[in-house]
Amino acid sequence: MSTLTWIDADTVKKLLNRDDLFKLLEAGMGQYSLGIDSGIVQPVRCTVAVQDVEGYLGTMPCYSRSHGILTTKLVSFYPGNVRVPTHLAWIMHFNHLDGTLLALMDGEVITNVRTGLVSAVATKYLAGKDSKILAILGAGTQARSHYVAMSSLYQFKQVRIWNRTKQNGEKFADEIRSGSLLAVQDATSTTTTTTTTMTTNNNNWTVTCCDTVEEAVKDADVICVATFATEPILKKKWVKNGAHINAVGAVRPNWRELDDDLMTSSVVYTDTRDGCLLESGDVILSKCKIYAEIGEVINKSKQSYQDETTIFKSVGMAIEDGICAKYIYEKHTSTNCT
Ligand SMILES: NC(=O)C1=CN([C@@H]2O[C@H](COP(=O)(O)OP(=O)(O)OC[C@H]3O[C@@H](n4cnc5c(N)ncnc54)[C@H](O)[C@@H]3O)[C@@H](O)[C@H]2O)C=CC1
Ligand SMILES: O=C(O)C1=NCCCC1
C-alpha cells in the first residue's frame, strides 16, 4: 500500500504556478469538449442543500484516461459565512490503476485560482485584442482571482470595481492600487510571469470603486461578475456592444447575475454545457441558447465571435480540479516538499 500524502493550503500555494496551470487548463478544456472522444468522465456535480443554514455541499468526481487523473473534490459553499471562508474544499487524488488514495489536499486555493484562470482562458479566445477597461462586480475571493488572472492578459488603463457593500469594494480597489495582489502572485511563481510585467509597466491607470453597476461597466471591454447575487445585477442596457463577460456566480438553478436580455442577445459560451443547463439560473431561467463550450473554441470545432457581445458562463468543472491536483501532487512528490 502507498502512503497517503496530505498537502495543506500553504504548500499548494507554494507549489502552484499560474502560467503552468493556464496552459494545462486550456488544453484540458479543449480535450473535455471533444465529448465521448475526450476520455474524460465527469458527471454533473451532485449538490446537497443544507437548508436550515443556507449551505451547500458539492461532490465533484472525474476520471481522465489520457491524463491518468482520478480525483474527487468535496466543496462546501455557505454564502453567509463570515468567520470562515464562504468556500471550503478538499481534493482526493487516487491512483487510477488500482483505486488507492494517493493524496488528500486542500482544495480551497485550487478552486480560487483555477476559476480565474479558466475565465482568463475564455477571455483570451473571446475578448478583443485591445481591451483597456476592466470592470469587476464583486469584491470577494473570485473578484481578486479574476483581477490577477485578467492582468496576465492585458494592461488595463482603467479598472472599475462595484460591490454591494462599498466599503469592501474600496478595500479591494486599494489592494489593486497598491500592487499587493500581483505581488502575492509573484511570490508564488517560480518563473517571471506576464503579471510581473503588468505590475512594473502599468503607470498610467486608474482604479475606481463605483457607486453603481452601470457606472462600473460603462464602455468596459471585459466584465467579470463574481458574486452570490440571486437576482440579476448586470443589465444588457449598460453593456457596450462587443464586450466580453465572465460570469462565475449564479451556480444554483434559482440564482441570477445577468438579466434575460443580456443572456438572450449575447453569444453564450460555457465551461460545461451539461453543468450550466442543470445548475445555473442565468442559463435555465433566461432560456438562452448556449452557442458552445469554450473547449469547442479551443479545439477549433466552434467559432469565436470576438466582435459580438460574448458571455463565458461557468459553474466549475471537476476536470479543472483534477488537472490542478495532479500537477500539485507530482510537484510535491518530485520536490519532496513537506
Ligand atoms: N464558476 C466557478 O467555477 C466557481 C464559481 N464560484 C461562485 O462565484 C461566486 C463568488 O465566489 P467568491 O468570490 O469565492 O465568494 P466570496 O464570498 O468571497 O464573495 C462573494 C461576493 O458576492 C457579493 N454578494 C453577496 N451577496 C450578494 C448579492 N445578493 N448581490 C450582489 N453581490 C453579493 C459579496 O459582497 C462578495 O463581494 C459565488 O457565487 C461562488 O459560488 C466559486 C467558485 C468556482
Ligand atoms: O467549481 C467549484 O468548485 C464551485 N462551483 C460553484 C460553487 C462552488 C464551488
Side-chain angles (χ1 to χ4, degrees):
M1 281 286 276
S2 54
T3 33
L4 176 63
T5 306
W6 160 243
I7 310 178
D8 65 17
D10 284 342
T11 310
V12 172
K13 251 186 224 159
K14 272 186 211 130
L15 293 175
L16 71 76
N17 174 281
R18 285 177 164 80
D19 293 344
D20 290 350
L21 288 182
F22 183 99
K23 290 182 201 123
L24 290 171
L25 289 166
E26 181 179 26
M29 303 293 282
Q31 184 178 333
Y32 169 79
S33 295
L34 294 172
I36 50 166
D37 294 332
S38 71
I40 295 176
V41 181
Q42 178 194 273
V44 172
R45 179 170 39 226
C46 171
T47 304
V48 170
V50 190
Q51 287 145 347
D52 300 331
V53 285
E54 219 224 330
Y56 303 89
L57 178 67
T59 54
M60 301 176 68
C62 77
Y63 168 57
S64 169
R65 187 190 303 131
S66 66
H67 289 97
I69 286 173
L70 181 65
T71 54
T72 296
K73 181 168 85 174
L74 294 175
V75 57
S76 65
F77 50 113
Y78 280 64
N81 276 3
V82 178
R83 271 186 282 276
V84 289
T86 51
H87 296 77
L88 297 166
W90 295 268
I91 302 174
M92 301 169 93
H93 172 59
F94 296 87
N95 178 338
H96 69 107
L97 297 174
D98 64 10
T100 51
L101 182 60
L102 298 172
L104 174 64
M105 67 185 79
D106 168 80
E108 193 190 330
V109 174
I110 288 176
T111 302
N112 298 344
V113 171
R114 63 75 158 149
T115 307
L117 287 177
V118 166
S119 290
V121 169
T123 306
K124 172 181 148 181
Y125 286 90
L126 302 179
K129 295 276 169 273
D130 194 28
S131 297
K132 294 282 182 236
I133 304 179
L134 170 68
I136 302 179
L137 309 183
T141 303
Q142 282 307 330
R144 284 168 174 79
S145 169
H146 277 71
Y147 168 69
V148 173
M150 296 302 131
S151 299
S152 71
L153 297 176
Y154 300 105
Q155 227 176 310
F156 294 103
K157 289 270 173 240
Q158 291 183 38
V159 180
R160 307 211 200 108
I161 307 300
W162 171 87
N163 192 50
R164 187 176 62 160
T165 316
K166 191 160 186 205
Q167 201 184 358
N168 293 338
E170 292 284 13
K171 183 169 176 284
F172 178 30
D174 281 344
E175 287 172 31
I176 294 175
R177 286 184 202 105
S178 74
S180 64
L181 293 170
L182 302 182
V184 170
Q185 146 79 351
D186 293 343
T188 57
S189 282
T190 52
T191 58
T192 308
T193 65
T194 40
T195 327
T196 315
T197 317
M198 160 86 188
T199 323
T200 49
N201 287 357
N202 204 14
N203 302 320
N204 189 15
W205 66 333
T206 58
V207 181
T208 317
C209 180
C210 302
D211 287 326
T212 63
V213 171
E214 181 176 5
E215 192 192 329
V217 303
K218 188 177 181 339
D219 294 326
D221 303 296
V222 176
I223 303 172
C224 299
V225 196
T227 72
F228 270 123
T230 53
E231 302 294 331
I233 53 172
L234 180 62
K235 300 197 172 166
K236 174 187 155 46
K237 61 184 177 193
W238 303 325
V239 174
K240 167 176 108 164
N241 280 337
H244 171 66
I245 300 156
N246 296 305
V248 303
V251 293
R252 297 288 301 159
N254 58 342
W255 291 3
R256 299 295 303 266
E257 288 189 314
L258 315 185
D259 78 351
D260 284 354
D261 261 11
L262 187 54
M263 291 303 297
T264 54
S265 64
S266 309
V267 189
V268 177
Y269 298 81
T270 61
D271 53 354
T272 151
R273 191 182 263 107
D274 292 350
C276 286
L277 283 169
L278 275 175
E279 293 193 311
S280 177
D282 276 344
V283 171
I284 299 163
L285 299 174
S286 72
K287 301 187 176 65
C288 70
K289 182 171 166 288
I290 296 173
Y291 168 65
E293 290 178 344
I294 193 60
E296 295 175 284
V297 181
I298 298 168
N299 71 31
K300 299 192 168 52
S301 54
K302 287 282 177 74
Q303 260 178 273
S304 156
Y305 285 99
Q306 278 191 346
D307 295 335
E308 306 207 18
T309 305
T310 49
I311 295 173
F312 174 59
K313 174 64 227 148
S314 76
V315 289
M317 305 208 314
I319 187 62
E320 299 165 5
D321 300 310
I323 287 170
C324 296
K326 183 166 193 248
Y327 168 90
I328 294 291
Y329 177 72
E330 286 178 350
K331 254 186 144 176
H332 185 270
T333 309
S334 68
T335 57
N336 224 351
C337 179
T338 54

